Amino acid sequence: MQVIWIILASWALLGVDGSCTYMGLKTGFEDWSCPANYRLPQAHEYNLVSSCTGGHSTNSWRLGFGYSPTGVFETHHCGCNWNPSWCGYPSILTMWSGGSTGSGCGDFGQIHACVYVPPPAPPPPPPTTITATTVTVTTVTVTSKTVTATSTTLTTTISRTYTSSSTTSSSTYTNTTTSTSTASSTYTDTNTSTSSTTSTSSSTTYTTTSSTT
């Protein structure tokens, strides 16, 4: 538990609490830039940097937090609360705990603390179009059947016998007639069936959006 309190106290001293970061005491000719995703506070944002003093005590006459209306240090500001005509170094726009603001002379260091600025939300993904393809399946089935009747041969025989007689002689003869007939037939039965199946699809376009609060 003691280790946790030591870590928290160290963070408070260094100004590492997520909302601001302590950058040191800076005069008007030093570097007042901020790291990525950070900027200088504005005049109404004292509470955002009040925990990032680096262990220093602020007062309404000398030591305060440097601020900027644009978030970037003003390099052409002259004059200060205790010497309006002094312009040896760029003066530092300064704010104090009571809500008052003024200018610190550039040869006297002020607290350089930066406030955290969340990165912009990523752009929403582009619209996504999903298109289904229409597929038509046609099935054709052809069945062919050939039937051949068996040939049939029909033979007909007719016999006639004649007898002639007289007082002196007699004779007999036979007349035979034969007829043959053949029958044969062939036919083809073709059956064709067609089936068609169509799957119907639709094309839908939707847009995914995201927002950051």
Side-chain angles (χ1 to χ4, degrees):
M1 189 68 179
Q2 184 178 4
V3 175
I4 297 176
W5 279 112
I6 292 175
I7 293 175
L8 293 176
S10 300
W11 283 2
L13 180 64
L14 296 176
V16 181
D17 66 354
S19 63
C20 62
T21 180
Y22 172 74
M23 302 294 291
L25 290 178
K26 302 287 181 69
T27 60
F29 60 85
E30 293 185 82
D31 181 13
W32 281 79
S33 62
C34 292
N37 296 327
Y38 284 83
R39 60 166 173 79
L40 290 178
Q42 296 180 355
H44 64 282
E45 295 178 328
Y46 181 89
N47 290 336
L48 295 182
V49 293
S50 60
S51 63
C52 296
T53 63
H56 302 286
S57 297
T58 61
N59 59 70
S60 59
W61 170 241
R62 299 285 288 187
L63 186 62
F65 289 94
Y67 76 91
S68 171
T70 62
V72 179
F73 184 71
E74 307 290 336
T75 59
H76 302 293
H77 184 58
C78 288
C80 56
N81 286 18
W82 48 91
N83 190 350
S85 61
W86 191 88
C87 198
Y89 300 123
S91 296
I92 305 168
L93 294 175
T94 308
M95 58 182 176
W96 292 277
S97 59
S100 60
T101 59
S103 296
C105 292
D107 59 343
F108 186 84
Q110 301 293 342
I111 298 175
H112 178 196
C114 300
V115 296
Y116 177 70
V117 179
T128 302
T129 301
I130 299 178
T131 303
T133 304
T134 300
V135 179
T136 302
V137 179
T138 302
T139 303
V140 179
T141 303
V142 179
T143 303
S144 179
K145 178 174 65 176
T146 302
V147 179
T148 303
T150 304
S151 299
T152 303
T153 301
L154 179 62
T155 302
T156 304
T157 303
I158 301 174
S159 297
R160 295 181 179 86
T161 302
Y162 297 91
T163 302
S164 176
S165 61
S166 63
T167 55
T168 59
S169 63
S170 65
S171 62
T172 302
Y173 69 92
T174 301
N175 183 15
T176 301
T177 303
T178 301
S179 62
T180 303
S181 62
T182 302
S184 176
S185 63
T186 301
Y187 68 91
T188 300
D189 183 10
T190 301
N191 182 22
T192 302
S193 62
T194 302
S195 63
S196 178
T197 303
T198 302
S199 60
T200 304
S201 64
S202 61
S203 177
T204 303
T205 301
Y206 65 91
T207 302
T208 56
T209 59
S210 60
S211 61
T212 301
T213 303

